Amino acid sequence: MKFQIKVTDKDSSARAGKISTTRGEIETPVFMPVGTVGSVKGVSTGDLEEKINAPVILGNTYHLYLRPGLEVLKEAGGLHRFMGWNRFILTDSGGYQVFSLTEKRKLSEQGAVFSSHIDGSKHLFTPENVVDTQRIIGSDIMMAFDECPPYPSDYRYAKKSMELTHRWLDRGLNHFKSTEPPYANDQSIFPIVQGSIYHDLRKESAEFVAGKNCHGNAIGGLSVGEPVDIMYEMVSLVNQYLPADKPRYLMGVGTPANILECIALGVDMFDCVMPTRNGRNGTVFTSEGVINIRNKQWQKDFSPIDPAGTTGYGLKYSKAYLRHLVVAGEMLGPIIASIHNLAFYLWLVSEARNKILSGEFNLWKNQIVKKLAQRL
RNA sequence: GGGGAGAUACCAAAGCGGCCAACUGGGGCAGACUGUAAAUCUGCUGGCAUAUGCCUUCGGAGGUUCGAAUCCUUCUCUCCCCA
């Protein structure tokens, strides 16, 4: 994997770059739609390519391991072939499930034992077998196995957790180096910075991670409930220590405003369930602000979803029609909302890229962030 | 013509003397959602104040009772069965 920075913004830490592998290219900054179980919920791969123009999507090791399972994925020839997607796939390692399924797992030095949320069966995830699983999935970028500690976590817990994640990282990287990609595509692994909201831990973790000299680096454990200013502070701090010539991936973030602010802090890659999950639940992101399309005020508003034309979908359908579909419980409603929101997110990061390239990023960002945060 | 059942808030449907401004579901209105156990979850849904409160409600009218959606009388309407 190569990462090339085209332009670094003069007023901020934002960069416009390009990731290249044998798979193809990803222009950064980039937003990656989340497709946990081999499906970006409600959105076909054709729409991901044509309507959304996403170069990369996420899969989830924990969920794919449980279903369809490794045998199916192996026989299918990997997740790309299984789901009919030729562009990049990044897989999360299951570290987030250590956080979100906290009731159903037990941590030890060795790894995490999960009780399957599907049938209750027990499964051990280790830094090593999580690499193996991601090999079988065939993701272009795999994530190291980590613990995403909850917020708030006290200092002692955060330190212990971070140190465990570091030890797991060393084990995972060793295993990664001693194994080969099973399919034609290259595979990279990204380590993850932890440390909760503690400055010294974040610094220590970022330095530790930076020392591994991987192709890219991730920031985890944020947007788990902490105030947004603290999140920005942590991102800013960590980015001082993560190498500037490698892509930086902020995991799980976030709102359109979060993404622009973190681009300004030097982040290149983002993913979030927000455009799809919130879209399914009636929230629509537009260049004018955030809309709850279920609200009565849109009942007779026949203007396009996003009149600015940020997405084709945003022009094609009216607010009134989308409201009707969502309120009526028609499956097309959540589908249109998801496609539009994803297309909007992809528009947002590509516009950010254009502004970085033309030297107008900071000005543009400060103007648009205010709009995007508005509720209409 | 004979016999029976029933009328409760936007709809459906509980309640059958005080704990009822009235269970529950739907609908309606709003909110939450950040590396997806989520096409999910939460709140409100008679009026006014909006903590405790006050006022008008359970087909209409009248009555019994300290007290009625709940008991009695009567009227109106609906449904079912038999001829």
Side-chain angles (χ1 to χ4, degrees), chain A residues 35-310:
Chain A
T36 307
V37 293
S39 151
V40 176
K41 293 189 192 302
V43 184
S44 70
T45 50
D47 286 344
L48 282 167
E49 287 174 15
E50 290 149 30
K51 300 194 170 82
I52 295 162
N53 198 23
V56 47
I57 62 174
L58 255 69
N60 183 279
T61 304
Y62 169 81
H63 288 281
L64 290 167
Y65 162 87
L66 287 183
R67 199 163 52 190
L70 300 186
E71 266 184 53
V72 171
L73 288 166
K74 202 181 275 182
E75 278 192 46
L79 182 60
H80 287 88
R81 287 177 64 181
F82 187 51
M83 66 183 289
W85 173 254
N86 299 320
R87 299 184 182 180
F88 287 80
I89 293 176
L90 181 152
T91 41
D92 183 35
S93 59
Y96 187 74
Q97 280 61 45
V98 172
F99 160 75
S100 68
L101 301 178
T102 172
E103 304 296 308
K104 296 195 170 297
R105 55 73 174 167
K106 203 161 194 139
L107 288 188
S108 68
E109 184 64 34
Q110 191 187 11
V113 173
F114 287 95
S115 296
S116 160
H117 66 280
I118 299 166
D119 63 6
S121 55
K122 288 203 159 47
H123 304 270
L124 172 66
F125 277 47
T126 68
E128 292 86 4
N129 72 17
V130 156
V131 168
D132 293 334
T133 299
Q134 292 178 99
R135 290 274 189 219
I136 290 167
I137 292 169
S139 48
D140 303 283
I141 300 169
M142 65 173 79
M143 301 304 301
F145 193 50
D146 66 330
E147 182 196 358
C148 176
Y151 176 84
S153 286
D154 64 45
Y155 184 86
R156 250 186 81 221
Y157 184 88
K159 184 171 163 64
K160 251 182 68 188
S161 167
M162 178 197 76
E163 287 165 352
L164 179 65
T165 290
H166 289 353
R167 289 192 298 276
W168 282 359
L169 175 59
D170 282 332
R171 285 167 51 190
L173 289 180
N174 282 338
H175 193 70
F176 177 81
K177 283 172 198 150
S178 67
T179 53
E180 293 292 321
Y183 315 115
N185 58 294
D186 298 335
Q187 293 188 293
S188 310
I189 185 166
F190 285 16
I192 303 171
V193 175
Q194 290 292 351
S196 189
I197 60 164
Y198 302 104
H199 291 236
D200 61 322
L201 297 184
R202 282 287 172 183
K203 173 174 186 282
E204 182 184 341
S205 188
E207 286 177 331
F208 184 85
V209 157
K212 301 303 164 189
N213 201 27
C214 292
H215 290 293
N217 300 294
I219 307 166
L222 293 176
S223 66
V224 288
E226 78 285 2
V228 71
D229 289 341
I230 291 182
M231 176 172 88
Y232 293 153
E233 207 180 310
M234 292 301 123
V235 170
S236 175
L237 186 156
V238 165
N239 280 352
Q240 292 172 41
Y241 303 102
L242 290 181
D245 60 349
K246 303 282 177 59
R248 301 183 183 122
Y249 165 31
L250 178 56
M251 305 183 77
V253 172
T255 66
N258 290 162
I259 287 172
L260 293 181
E261 294 295 358
C262 291
I263 288 174
L265 296 174
V267 175
D268 308 292
M269 302 164 70
F270 301 87
D271 78 281
C272 192
V273 302
M274 198 174 277
T276 44
R277 179 189 287 168
N278 291 27
R280 284 196 304 282
N281 296 330
T283 300
V284 176
F285 297 96
T286 79
S287 56
E288 322 236 283
V290 181
I291 286 175
N292 184 341
I293 201 66
R294 294 192 317 260
N295 288 179
K296 197 183 188 99
Q297 62 169 312
W298 313 114
Q299 187 179 39
K300 292 175 185 169
D301 188 326
F302 301 102
S303 66
I305 296 169
D306 190 348
T310 50

Side-chain angles (χ1 to χ4, degrees), chain A residues 280 293-294 299 319-334:
Chain A
R280 284 196 304 282
I293 201 66
R294 294 192 317 260
Q299 187 179 39
K319 297 182 181 80
Y321 179 60
L322 181 56
R323 175 181 193 272
H324 164 251
L325 293 176
V326 170
V327 166
E330 283 295 313
M331 62 194 287
L332 185 58

